[in-house]
Amino acid sequence: MDLEEEHEQNPENPEEIVIDSDSEDSIEAVFPISEIQAHSDSVCSVAFHPISSDIYASGGIDDIAYLYTQNEGKELTGHTDSIIAVSFSNCGEFLAVASMDGTITIWNAQNGENIAKYEGPTEEILSISWHPRLPSLCALSNDLSLWVWHIKKNSPVAVIYGHPLSIAKFGPAGRYIYAGGKDGSIKVWDMKSEGFENAPPICTILGKAIHNEEVISIDMHNGGIIVSGSKDGCIGLTNFNSKKIITKIKVCEESIESVEFCKEMMWFLVASMSGELRIYECDSLNTRCTIQVGMGIVKAIWVGFDIYVGGLEGLLEHYNGRTGERVRKFSGTKETILDFDVKQ
């Protein structure tokens, strides 16, 4: 990624495509092939197994998670508050279930046997992230603590205290943990640094430098660039190697719910509660495409060159990431889509 370290203003792109998805009337409508009524209340999180399309998981407000094999669900209990995240390890061996009760349970992803229960945080878990290669999990709690566990050890390998963070993830190579703050800050830790959990972050972009409000979406490119989105309607790009801000862009007046780099091209997407989906070119920072989805977007992800978005009033749609054209609309509910996953 060849970006200048500082970029004051995003220039207008004369070739930008603007699409109003409501104007398209020839798209394919897709209806559910099956419906599973397992939970007694709202489902907060879902995930496909990274290898087997017959295995998936869900977690809900009813304090229960389910592991499904060929649509047959096994109840995973042990939590006393809502399940905020279910996530399979990248190797496919483990399933992590995170709860607002401050605990995380680890399960065998094939047979649903309980492997471990991690305790320590005194408040709810805000986010979890698996290492891209190792059976290691990082978890962020609302009590200002960030935990790293190795599944084959009974105690955490690192705990970082005292940072008011809202979201934290492993970097694409697994060496770094990057995070967004409730104060609008961006922070990065190097796990290869001895005693990193007791040392200051290797990169800190203070709140107000980019974001005036909480960071709620963040992604890292393997070239050392971080894109972040905030409740203030702004996105920021940071080069954590040089510890410099590349740019800050005011996108809208609503919160930026999703930012994500495309793995196929040097693009990234930005999705907001305003109902707007944008695709940016990384090098020029030009807006490649702007799509008016029409409903507030809760989540947007790349799947190859395709983009899937979910949001308010049952919004669940598939777009061509190259052209911005809507490909399919998934029907089945008028309720807000809290989470979704796509299996390639």
Side-chain angles (χ1 to χ4, degrees):
M1 180 179 290
D2 183 20
L3 283 171
E4 295 181 5
E5 292 184 346
E6 296 187 17
H7 192 288
E8 293 183 356
Q9 180 64 38
N10 183 30
E12 293 294 330
N13 181 6
E15 298 181 355
E16 177 188 347
I17 303 169
V18 179
I19 296 175
D20 182 355
S21 67
D22 289 337
S23 65
E24 301 175 47
D25 54 10
S26 60
I27 63 164
E28 177 186 357
V30 181
F31 295 89
I33 58 175
S34 64
E35 183 175 346
I36 300 172
Q37 295 284 352
H39 293 276
S40 61
D41 209 328
S42 299
V43 177
C44 301
S45 180
V46 293
F48 272 116
H49 190 275
I51 301 170
S52 174
S53 59
D54 291 332
I55 300 175
Y56 50 99
S58 65
I61 292 178
D62 56 7
D63 310 346
I64 298 172
Y66 286 88
L67 176 65
Y68 305 91
T69 303
Q70 296 181 341
N71 295 340
E72 293 294 327
K74 179 175 181 178
E75 191 174 289
L76 309 179
T77 59
H79 293 284
T80 59
D81 208 337
S82 301
I83 306 301
I84 63 99
V86 292
S87 180
F88 289 98
S89 61
N90 290 290
C91 65
E93 186 176 353
F94 306 106
L95 170 67
V97 177
S99 171
M100 290 185 69
D101 65 11
T103 67
I104 297 171
T105 49
I106 305 296
W107 307 81
N108 183 305
Q110 302 294 325
N111 58 29
E113 291 184 359
N114 182 245
I115 295 173
K117 183 173 184 178
Y118 296 143
E119 299 175 307
T122 58
E123 296 185 27
E124 67 264 31
I125 303 299
L126 300 178
S127 70
I128 58 174
S129 173
W130 284 100
H131 191 282
R133 296 187 306 276
L134 303 176
S136 296
L137 184 78
C138 79
L140 177 65
S141 171
N142 198 41
D143 65 0
L144 309 186
S145 64
L146 175 62
W147 300 69
V148 180
W149 285 279
H150 192 286
I151 303 307
K152 297 182 180 179
K153 296 183 179 180
N154 293 324
S155 59
V157 296
V159 185
I160 300 171
Y161 291 105
H163 298 272
L165 304 175
S166 50
I167 185 171
K169 298 179 180 180
F170 277 111
R175 175 173 177 173
Y176 302 104
I177 293 177
Y178 62 103
K182 294 180 180 180
D183 58 356
S185 62
I186 307 294
K187 298 183 179 183
V188 181
W189 285 268
D190 184 352
M191 293 186 62
K192 285 193 174 182
S193 298
E194 185 176 353
F196 79 92
E197 66 272 24
N198 298 315
I202 62 168
C203 175
T204 298
I205 303 298
L206 297 176
K208 310 298 183 184
I210 298 179
H211 300 294
N212 295 319
E213 296 185 49
E214 179 180 352
V215 175
I216 56 176
S217 54
I218 194 167
D219 195 23
M220 177 186 282
H221 189 276
N222 57 17
I225 306 300
I226 295 173
V227 60
S228 54
S230 170
K231 288 183 177 180
D232 61 8
C234 292
I235 61 169
L237 268 79
T238 303
N239 185 326
F240 81 84
N241 291 316
S242 65
K243 303 178 178 60
K244 290 188 176 181
I245 298 169
I246 298 168
T247 192
K248 171 182 176 178
I249 302 172
K250 180 69 173 180
V251 176
C252 62
E253 298 301 324
E254 303 291 336
S255 59
I256 306 298
E257 298 291 320
S258 285
V259 292
E260 185 173 270
F261 287 106
C262 177
K263 294 181 175 60
E264 310 298 332
M265 293 291 289
M266 295 175 67
W267 304 335
F268 64 92
L269 67 77
V270 177
S272 70
M273 193 53 71
S274 69
E276 187 175 87
L277 172 66
R278 294 188 185 185
I279 304 170
Y280 286 90
E281 296 177 350
C282 294
D283 286 337
S284 66
L285 297 178
N286 285 334
T287 309
R288 178 179 176 83
C289 181
T290 299
I291 304 167
Q292 302 296 339
V293 173
M295 292 291 176
I297 302 171
V298 173
K299 179 179 179 179
I301 60 173
W302 289 98
V303 180
F305 283 106
D306 295 313
I307 298 173
Y308 291 81
V309 301
L312 303 183
E313 297 187 22
L315 171 71
L316 190 57
E317 296 180 342
H318 168 203
Y319 289 85
N320 183 319
R322 291 187 179 95
T323 65
E325 295 177 337
R326 186 166 62 173
V327 179
R328 290 180 290 180
K329 180 177 181 178
F330 300 90
S331 301
T333 181
K334 292 296 183 182
E335 300 296 325
T336 297
I337 302 296
L338 300 178
D339 193 21
F340 67 90
D341 197 12
V342 178
K343 182 67 178 178
Q344 288 182 289

